[in-house]
Amino acid sequence: MTEDEGESKGGRGLPTRTDIDKAYQWRLEDMYASIEAWDTDAEAVLKDSQELSTLAGRLADGAENLLKALKLQDEIGKRLSMMFAFARMRRDEDNTNATYQALTDKAMSIAVRVEGAKAFLVPEILTIPESQLRTYLQTNSDLGLYEFVLDDLIRQKAHVLPAEQEALLAAAGEVTSAPSHIFTMFNNADLKFPMVIDDDGEEIELTHGRYIHLLESTNQNVRKGAFEAMYKTYGQNRNTLAAVYGSSVKKDIFYSGVRKYESARQAALDDDNVPVSVYDNLIDAVHESLPALHKYLRLRKRVLGLDELHMYDIYTPLVSEMKVKIPYSEALTTVGEAIAPLGEEYQRIARQGMQSGWIDVYETKGKTSGAYSWGAYGVHPYILLNYQDSLDNMFTLAHELGHAMHTYYSHANQPFVYSGYTIFVAEVASTCNEALLTDYLLKRTDDRQMRAYLLNHHLETIRGTLFRQTMFAEFEKLTHQHAEEGGALTPEWLSDTYYKLNEEFFGAECVVDREIAIEWARIPHFYTPFYVYKYATGISASTALSQKILHEGPDAASRYLDFLKSGGSDYPIELLRKAGVDMESPEPVRATLKQFSEMVDELASILEG
């Protein structure tokens, strides 16, 4: 599942699903025509899980047993992924529907039982001598399908524990996930914010959802009030939040130590076989290009007419929102034309999919908000939208269609075992589509206001995804290093470290308000260690690839489609290298930041020329 937002919401005046034409609803019956069909698969999954568990202790007896175990794992995975996708997406249609709440819970319960049944598999494979595994591969041609899987297990063998110890670590998972769970409950359920003044001069309660909207206000007093109220609230809870985050970091260090990694960062990156140098190159390249960010901040200060630019002035748009009404039918046409550089086949499949049950289009009562793309092997991908007739929503369509087409090509060209792709590459296809849409719209408008709006939109995407996420990534690197060296993650150390990073990124052109020092305390992604850097590398890779597609034509597009078709059949760094971008080099990041700098210049010429 690739999810870009998502909490359930309903509302007065919203239509129900029965009010929406079927043409604008996804066709989940393409997965299961009935709950009875779902139950049949559930029975098959449990039966196959029992059969798999009978192979425990027998994998070294011969290639046939190993092949049978791996095939059973695939069959279970195919069915279970479709079961879970169907249940969750049915629930997402209307989160108040008790039937699909229960079906989702049932799917999760079955998944837990499956994990228990196959827990023996990896540790037992790794007890088989490598020479014996190689002999299996040579003598059993059917086992050749799993050669990359087995090679990857062998690569990580030094970090896998004996079966009993792996079982113990798995059993501790509920305990070690406590910091993340505590933060989520505290942040979303218990934390209460004060009243602030909105654009209409009315008192409203500050919430997470309202915060960014208030920071986008054209009234600086509104922005300042929301900013100070938000961080005062976190500051009042700094000791608790430092203890929770510190516990999360210690958990990361514990697991990396137990698995014999040099650091928590190395352990996190090793899942994708990504060298630590990629992480460091990203940070170094962004620091080299901070002058481009500072140039953008100077433009922001001039356009907003401010004597001083503060941290709460960074989000308000430089160009007022274009009141352009873009009906869904027009968005389909425009996006369909914008992706033409990817070739006729890509364009044909995407257009057909957009009009044949892939997409759930409109907001309805109880429907999950935001947007995501999801798919299950053996059926076409799906997209959840809550489409409003706006330019931003057209970009969301392009973004999610990129995810869906990646899934489509991956599933169509790979066996199940290699049909999934890692988070490291997941955002490449989506942001590549956005880049193509931006290029298409810029080439077809002479309206200076529209051009400025599009440039501002793209600049904010890069600022938020490449600069901001890299600053987060550097903070994670520093916190884990400090703890690994025996340092205490006190609220003072965390806040001072975070404040210094903000000074380095923004201080040349911005008043770095002291309140920003506590921002670390409100970032949920920090509880998934060393994750955010993938947003920055993803947009860098997609920018490089989209430029090749636009300037080199069909050959570059063909390499890109081969990348989409590759799924998880190789390591992400290698897949991107074959597509034409080397993420072990800092050059893709530098090229994206060079484009950022050039767009700042163009936006300045429009707004100030």
Side-chain angles (χ1 to χ4, degrees):
M1 176 180 180
T2 304
E3 187 165 341
D4 296 303
E5 272 303 324
E7 292 178 29
S8 63
K9 72 172 183 179
R12 291 181 181 176
L14 287 175
T16 63
R17 290 194 70 77
T18 56
D19 297 325
I20 301 295
D21 191 307
K22 289 283 187 183
Y24 301 106
Q25 297 183 34
W26 53 21
R27 227 173 30 226
L28 298 187
E29 54 267 31
D30 292 348
M31 286 192 281
Y32 294 105
S34 65
I35 291 181
E36 288 73 23
W38 189 96
D39 285 333
T40 299
D41 263 6
E43 291 172 10
V45 162
L46 292 173
K47 180 181 177 184
D48 284 348
S49 296
Q50 289 177 338
E51 186 175 357
L52 177 61
S53 65
T54 66
L55 291 168
R58 299 167 53 198
L59 300 186
D61 293 348
E64 294 74 19
N65 279 358
L66 178 57
L67 177 62
K68 183 178 180 180
L70 292 171
K71 280 187 169 181
L72 276 170
Q73 180 178 235
D74 283 356
E75 285 304 310
I76 292 166
K78 274 185 213 175
R79 286 196 174 99
L80 190 58
S81 65
M82 192 171 295
M83 287 165 53
F84 193 77
F86 177 83
R88 264 293 302 272
M89 286 193 277
R90 278 294 189 211
R91 192 188 76 179
D92 287 345
E93 292 176 345
D94 181 0
N95 283 271
T96 66
N97 187 310
T99 297
Y100 294 114
Q101 289 174 3
L103 200 67
T104 300
D105 290 344
K106 186 176 179 181
M108 293 178 71
S109 176
I110 292 172
V112 170
R113 293 172 66 180
V114 166
E115 284 302 310
K118 68 177 188 176
F120 76 93
L121 197 55
V122 170
E124 187 169 328
I125 289 172
L126 291 177
T127 64
I128 303 171
E130 184 178 346
S131 59
Q132 189 175 339
L133 286 173
R134 298 293 176 201
T135 301
Y136 284 176
L137 288 166
Q138 290 169 8
T139 58
N140 190 312
S141 58
D142 290 339
L143 197 57
L145 172 65
Y146 298 98
E147 185 169 7
F148 178 66
V149 172
L150 294 172
D151 283 344
D152 192 42
L153 288 179
I154 292 167
R155 179 184 69 83
Q156 298 184 75
K157 184 173 183 176
H159 308 294
V160 177
L161 304 177
E164 297 83 1
Q165 294 177 28
E166 286 289 344
L168 187 62
L169 283 183
E174 199 168 347
V175 177
T176 55
S177 65
S180 176
H181 181 63
I182 292 167
F183 173 79
T184 299
M185 296 306 295
F186 180 80
N187 201 44
N188 296 326
D190 294 338
L191 200 60
K192 301 300 179 188
F193 299 101
M195 305 295 285
V196 294
I197 304 297
D198 69 4
D199 278 323
D200 298 322
E202 301 290 334
E203 269 203 337
I204 61 168
E205 183 181 355
L206 182 64
T207 65
H208 291 294
R210 288 170 176 168
Y211 178 61
I212 292 298
H213 177 71
L214 291 167
L215 283 192
E216 292 173 347
S217 169
T218 57
N219 185 328
Q220 190 183 39
N221 288 329
V222 169
R223 301 194 298 265
K224 181 181 180 182
F227 177 85
E228 291 178 347
M230 172 65 69
Y231 292 120
K232 181 179 179 181
T233 305
Y234 278 98
Q236 290 168 342
N237 295 280
R238 61 187 178 275
N239 292 306
T240 297
L241 289 163
V244 175
Y245 178 58
S247 298
S248 183
V249 171
K250 288 175 183 176
K251 175 260 299 180
D252 303 335
I253 295 169
F254 166 75
Y255 276 115
S256 65
V258 165
R259 296 197 177 282
K260 303 181 180 67
Y261 284 101
E262 293 177 11
S263 68
R265 186 161 61 119
Q266 185 196 41
L269 271 60
D270 193 48
D271 277 349
D272 291 330
N273 197 22
V274 172
V276 171
S277 60
V278 171
Y279 201 101
D280 291 330
N281 286 342
L282 169 67
I283 292 172
D284 291 344
V286 168
H287 276 275
E288 287 172 12
S289 295
L290 285 177
L293 176 61
H294 299 156
K295 179 169 63 174
Y296 181 49
L297 295 174
R298 285 195 298 274
L299 174 62
R300 175 170 284 279
K301 182 160 61 173
R302 293 196 304 270
V303 171
L304 294 177
L306 298 173
D307 295 328
E308 290 183 337
L309 188 73
H310 286 261
M311 298 302 292
Y312 44 79
D313 298 321
I314 289 174
Y315 290 90
T316 187
L318 296 183
V319 183
S320 59
E321 186 176 357
M322 299 293 293
K323 302 299 182 184
V324 181
K325 192 175 177 66
I326 303 177
Y328 182 66
S329 58
E330 183 182 332
L332 289 179
T333 301
T334 302
V335 171
E337 291 172 354
I339 58 178
L342 295 175
E344 291 182 7
E345 180 194 72
Y346 184 100
Q347 195 176 30
R348 173 180 54 78
I349 294 168
R351 281 175 164 165
Q352 182 179 340
M354 287 191 289
Q355 299 182 53
S356 58
W358 285 22
I359 307 178
D360 205 74
V361 181
Y362 294 114
E363 185 177 15
T364 52
K365 284 184 178 179
K367 182 178 175 180
T368 290
S369 66
Y372 65 65
S373 173
W374 204 347
Y377 195 80
V379 70
H380 58 78
Y382 291 92
I383 295 171
L384 179 139
L385 297 176
N386 284 275
Y387 191 83
Q388 307 291 324
D389 296 348
S390 71
L391 195 62
D392 274 351
N393 276 245
M394 182 166 69
F395 271 97
T396 300
L397 171 63
H399 182 102
E400 299 305 338
L401 181 66
H403 284 309
M405 290 298 291
H406 195 175
T407 298
Y408 175 89
Y409 274 111
S410 178
H411 287 190
N413 290 277
Q414 295 295 327
F416 175 77
V417 66
Y418 301 125
S419 62
Y421 45 86
T422 71
I423 297 296
F424 190 89
V425 298
E427 291 301 323
V428 173
S430 55
T431 52
C432 183
N433 269 18
E434 286 194 74
L436 294 178
L437 178 58
T438 298
D439 181 80
Y440 176 86
L441 294 172
L442 284 171
K443 286 176 177 174
R444 283 160 180 78
T445 182
D446 295 323
D447 184 287
R448 289 172 65 84
Q449 183 77 357
M450 172 62 84
R451 192 169 186 85
Y453 181 86
L454 291 168
L455 289 168
N456 188 203
H457 181 277
H458 197 66
L459 286 168
E460 280 300 296
T461 297
I462 295 175
R463 185 189 66 77
T465 307
L466 187 45
F467 285 106
R468 181 170 168 81
Q469 300 300 330
T470 299
M471 187 181 78
F472 286 172
E474 187 170 1
F475 179 72
E476 283 191 279
K477 176 184 174 181
L478 293 171
T479 56
H480 285 75
Q481 280 181 349
H482 184 66
E484 284 165 341
E485 292 166 0
L489 296 179
T490 64
E492 292 76 19
W493 188 93
L494 291 165
S495 295
D496 286 347
T497 301
Y498 194 81
Y499 186 79
K500 287 172 184 174
L501 281 173
N502 275 273
E503 279 190 313
E504 193 161 1
F505 274 71
F506 299 100
E509 299 297 334
C510 185
V511 176
V512 182
D513 304 277
R514 192 65 211 179
E515 289 89 345
I516 201 66
I518 195 68
E519 188 184 35
W520 61 266
R522 63 175 286 261
I523 308 301
H525 275 127
F526 287 159
Y527 291 85
T528 305
F530 303 105
Y531 175 89
V532 294
Y533 88 99
K534 299 175 187 181
Y535 289 119
T537 54
I539 197 170
S540 300
S542 69
T543 299
L545 291 172
S546 64
Q547 289 301 302
K548 287 178 181 290
I549 291 162
L550 290 167
H551 295 116
E552 297 176 16
D555 286 345
S558 178
R559 291 195 302 271
Y560 177 74
L561 292 186
D562 286 343
F563 158 71
L564 298 185
K565 294 172 183 177
S566 297
S569 60
D570 204 344
Y571 297 117
I573 290 283
E574 296 304 321
L575 294 176
L576 288 170
R577 186 176 283 122
K578 292 171 190 173
V581 57
D582 182 5
M583 292 310 297
E584 287 196 81
S585 159
E587 291 310 311
V589 179
R590 288 173 178 158
T592 303
L593 294 167
K594 182 174 181 288
Q595 183 193 72
F596 177 87
S597 182
E598 291 167 352
M599 284 188 160
V600 172
D601 292 338
E602 183 177 355
L603 181 59
S605 70
I606 294 174
L607 297 179
E608 300 180 318

